[in-house]
Amino acid sequence: MAKRLLTPHVPTTVKNEELVRRRREQIVLAAIKLFSKKGFHGTTLRELSEKAGLSHGNIYDYVGSKEDIFFLLHEYVVELVDVALNQSVEDVVDPVEKLRRMLRSEFNVMYEWADAILLIYQESHILKNTPLMKEFLRTEGEHIGKIERVLIECSESGVCQCANPRTVANLIKIMADSWVLKRWDLRDHVSQLEMEQSILSLALNGLLFQEGSCRKVENDYFSLHGKLALVINSTTLLGEAVCAHLLLKGCSVVRCDALDSQAYELGIFAANGRKEKVSFRFDIQDLVGSRIFETVKREAGPIDLLIHDLGLGSVSARGVKNSDEAVRWRENLRFAEEMACPIQQEAARNGRRKILYLAPWAWDRYFDPFQYETIKAGTISLTRIQSKKLASFKTNVNCIVPGFIGANRPTSIQNEMEVTAEIPLGRLGEIADLIESVCFLLSDSAKYVTGQVLEVAGGL
């Protein structure tokens, strides 16, 4: 990893390539933090060396100037994107699927390295009068070329017509980068999955309805339009993604989350994402499960889909034994167990529901390995018990066990190569990998699937 940091365009006096790579990575990571906070011109080399854990004199063994550091920062991000793009299309033949996966992988990198990408856009002019600018533009051109080649494949396979694939490739890249450049506005109005879908739809379908003119990007196979979903513990990374995608599919969503250890809160959202109802609070001493079903039915209608994420909600707490987080995690499993009886009562009255439990994702084991295994086992057991009890009411109950999902991963615990070495498929998962499995198990296509535990973990 980070082989581009060994670029000959930035000379070094050190012969040990691995040492050069490691030291330059330290310098680049320090630069991202300092440049984002103080600006390129407001940051000194002395500050950079201190932040990187090097002496002021020692930093000159690896770089000659701040411009060199900025160029290395660009090379570092380019390599992250290149690796992600290459991995995303391994063994993929369908050109539209290639384009979809490339876009998703780029979004995942942007999600984690937004500050670095914003810096590259804001400060690239500093290389204007240096020999590094030519190389900078060449690597940017290579990136555009990857998208262009897939568009040519789409055109040649008859999926779409693309008069000038280079133009469209640039437009797609600009639209994707707006996720960072316009994040001040977009993050309040659109999810990452919605953004991906919108870009693909614009690129392949356009805005006008032209029957038979091109292939639809979205599969009607997973259509969930018009249904009402209750998502419990919706503030986790996976819970947020599930809510966003269900809204995109035309579902109305009721979000249920713990306010604290004593109370839960409901928020009801229409399919367009607009909050329809004020929040409802339920104290823990109440019959919470029954009250929730009664309130949702009165305010929004009968629940069609129930998704309960039993993972840990705080990414920042990963690896830190925070007692409050531990208590909330245990409470989540207890709440799922207490909901079991009201769910059975509701199924007996109405039936034909889909229930999906999301076990803790693999990163949670670093917070507390014992609790991770306990809650995962409890989630799987609850799934199997509920599936048998509710089968006669035509209610499907299934479980997904997420593996190492790449978006917003806690890299401070283990580096990516150590983690991916454990995974048979050799890469971290994507949020989209999980969401597509969720959509399948909630759709009518899975109406004969119940009591199943699906591990979305790359074979781990």
Side-chain angles (χ1 to χ4, degrees):
M1 189 64 176
K3 292 179 181 178
R4 281 182 178 265
L5 294 180
L6 299 175
T7 173
H9 298 280
V10 178
T12 175
T13 60
V14 180
K15 302 299 182 185
N16 186 328
E17 289 191 349
E18 178 56 24
L19 180 61
V20 172
R21 188 197 63 77
R22 283 192 285 112
R23 291 288 183 263
R24 285 182 170 178
E25 187 169 19
Q26 289 173 234
I27 294 168
V28 164
L29 296 177
I32 292 170
K33 293 177 181 177
L34 288 176
F35 290 168
S36 298
K37 183 178 180 180
K38 303 183 68 173
F40 177 82
H41 295 290
T43 303
T44 66
L45 270 174
R46 185 177 295 277
E47 289 171 324
L48 280 166
S49 60
E50 289 175 1
K51 188 73 173 177
L54 303 172
S55 68
H56 186 218
N58 191 221
I59 198 171
Y60 288 102
D61 292 333
Y62 305 100
V63 296
S65 65
K66 280 198 298 180
E67 286 76 13
D68 285 350
I69 295 173
F70 184 83
F71 179 76
L72 290 174
L73 187 158
H74 172 260
E75 292 294 283
Y76 186 75
V77 173
V78 165
E79 184 167 0
L80 289 171
V81 174
D82 277 349
V83 170
L85 290 180
N86 292 338
Q87 288 179 344
S88 70
V89 297
E90 283 180 1
D91 303 320
V92 178
V93 177
D94 181 12
V96 173
E97 185 61 23
K98 281 185 184 180
L99 191 60
R100 189 199 314 273
R101 287 176 177 267
M102 287 173 71
L103 195 57
R104 284 173 183 166
S105 65
E106 185 140 357
F107 268 102
N108 284 337
V109 173
M110 287 193 292
Y111 187 94
E112 188 174 354
W113 298 95
D115 288 342
I117 292 167
L118 189 60
L119 275 170
I120 290 169
Y121 265 96
Q122 291 175 331
E123 305 286 3
S124 59
H125 63 276
I126 67 173
L127 299 180
K128 185 175 181 180
N129 296 318
T130 72
L132 298 175
M133 179 54 88
K134 185 176 180 180
E135 182 64 16
F136 179 96
L137 295 175
R138 187 189 67 79
T139 54
E140 284 293 304
E142 285 182 350
H143 187 176
I144 299 296
K146 291 178 184 289
I147 302 172
E148 180 186 17
R149 285 191 290 276
V150 175
L151 287 170
I152 291 171
E153 285 185 46
C154 288
S155 181
E156 290 177 346
S157 63
V159 172
C160 65
Q161 52 182 344
C162 193
N164 191 326
R166 192 70 177 188
T167 300
V168 178
N170 273 279
L171 290 173
I172 289 174
K173 181 68 170 64
I174 291 168
M175 286 191 287
D177 287 346
S178 67
W179 184 243
V180 170
L181 300 177
K182 304 284 286 184
R183 59 182 173 178
W184 56 271
D185 179 64
L186 286 171
R187 301 298 168 90
D188 292 331
H189 299 286
V190 66
S191 70
Q192 177 181 326
L193 287 170
E194 253 184 308
M195 189 73 174
E196 293 170 12
Q197 187 65 47
S198 296
I199 293 171
L200 282 173
S201 182
L202 280 170
L204 297 178
N205 295 343
L207 291 175
L208 300 179
F209 291 110
Q210 297 177 7
E211 188 175 352
S213 62
C214 56
R215 169 178 168 177
K216 291 183 71 176
V217 175
E218 187 173 3
N219 289 323
D220 292 331
Y221 179 75
F222 289 144
S223 176
L224 299 168
H225 188 273
K227 295 187 177 179
L228 178 65
L230 171 62
V231 182
I232 301 173
N233 199 23
S234 70
T235 57
T236 65
L237 184 66
L238 302 186
E240 291 280 4
V242 168
C243 288
H245 204 66
L246 289 175
L247 289 168
L248 179 63
K249 292 287 185 180
C251 285
S252 296
V253 173
V254 180
R255 299 178 63 156
C256 176
D257 297 288
L259 287 172
D260 49 48
S261 60
Q262 296 300 315
Y264 286 83
E265 183 182 48
L266 287 182
I268 302 175
F269 296 80
N272 60 10
R274 185 168 57 86
K275 196 166 187 177
E276 285 282 283
K277 301 289 182 180
V278 295
S279 298
F280 297 87
R281 177 189 169 105
F282 301 95
D283 293 331
I284 203 73
Q285 59 265 28
D286 295 337
L287 297 173
V288 176
S290 299
R291 289 280 310 282
I292 287 173
F293 281 117
E294 290 169 7
T295 304
V296 173
K297 188 172 183 178
R298 182 180 72 247
E299 300 293 336
I303 296 168
D304 301 297
L305 314 168
L306 190 154
I307 304 95
H308 194 153
D309 184 0
L310 285 94
L312 189 62
S314 174
V315 175
S316 61
R318 207 72 68 216
V320 180
K321 294 294 183 69
N322 182 298
S323 58
D324 290 339
E325 291 286 351
V327 169
R328 281 196 291 271
W329 206 11
R330 288 194 297 270
E331 284 292 322
N332 201 16
L333 179 59
R334 186 188 65 76
F335 183 56
E337 292 167 348
E338 288 188 358
M339 286 287 289
C341 187
I343 287 172
Q344 292 169 20
Q345 293 169 353
E346 280 297 303
R349 283 192 287 267
N350 299 301
R352 296 195 180 280
R353 283 189 171 85
K354 296 286 175 61
I355 298 170
L356 181 63
Y357 293 108
L358 299 178
W361 66 349
W363 294 118
D364 283 343
R365 78 164 62 149
Y366 294 108
F367 176 76
D368 188 322
F370 178 77
Q371 280 207 79
Y372 167 76
E373 294 296 343
T374 301
I375 294 172
K376 183 172 78 168
T379 307
I380 293 171
S381 296
L382 183 60
T383 299
R384 288 175 174 155
I385 292 169
Q386 286 285 73
S387 67
K388 290 179 181 178
K389 287 184 176 292
L390 302 181
S392 60
F393 305 122
K394 305 294 187 278
T395 294
N396 303 69
V397 185
N398 293 292
C399 173
I400 288 178
V401 181
F404 291 104
I405 306 300
N408 209 21
R409 63 185 180 274
T411 50
S412 59
I413 295 170
Q414 274 188 314
N415 70 47
E416 183 177 328
M417 293 183 68
E418 290 173 341
V419 172
T420 53
E422 301 179 38
I423 303 171
L425 280 182
R427 67 172 178 87
L428 299 178
E430 300 173 0
I431 289 286
D433 296 326
L434 181 83
I435 295 302
E436 287 173 359
S437 300
V438 168
C439 286
F440 168 70
L441 290 174
L442 294 178
S443 73
D444 291 338
S445 301
K447 61 187 177 184
Y448 200 58
V449 179
T450 193
Q452 299 305 303
V453 177
L454 176 62
E455 296 191 8
V456 183
L460 184 65

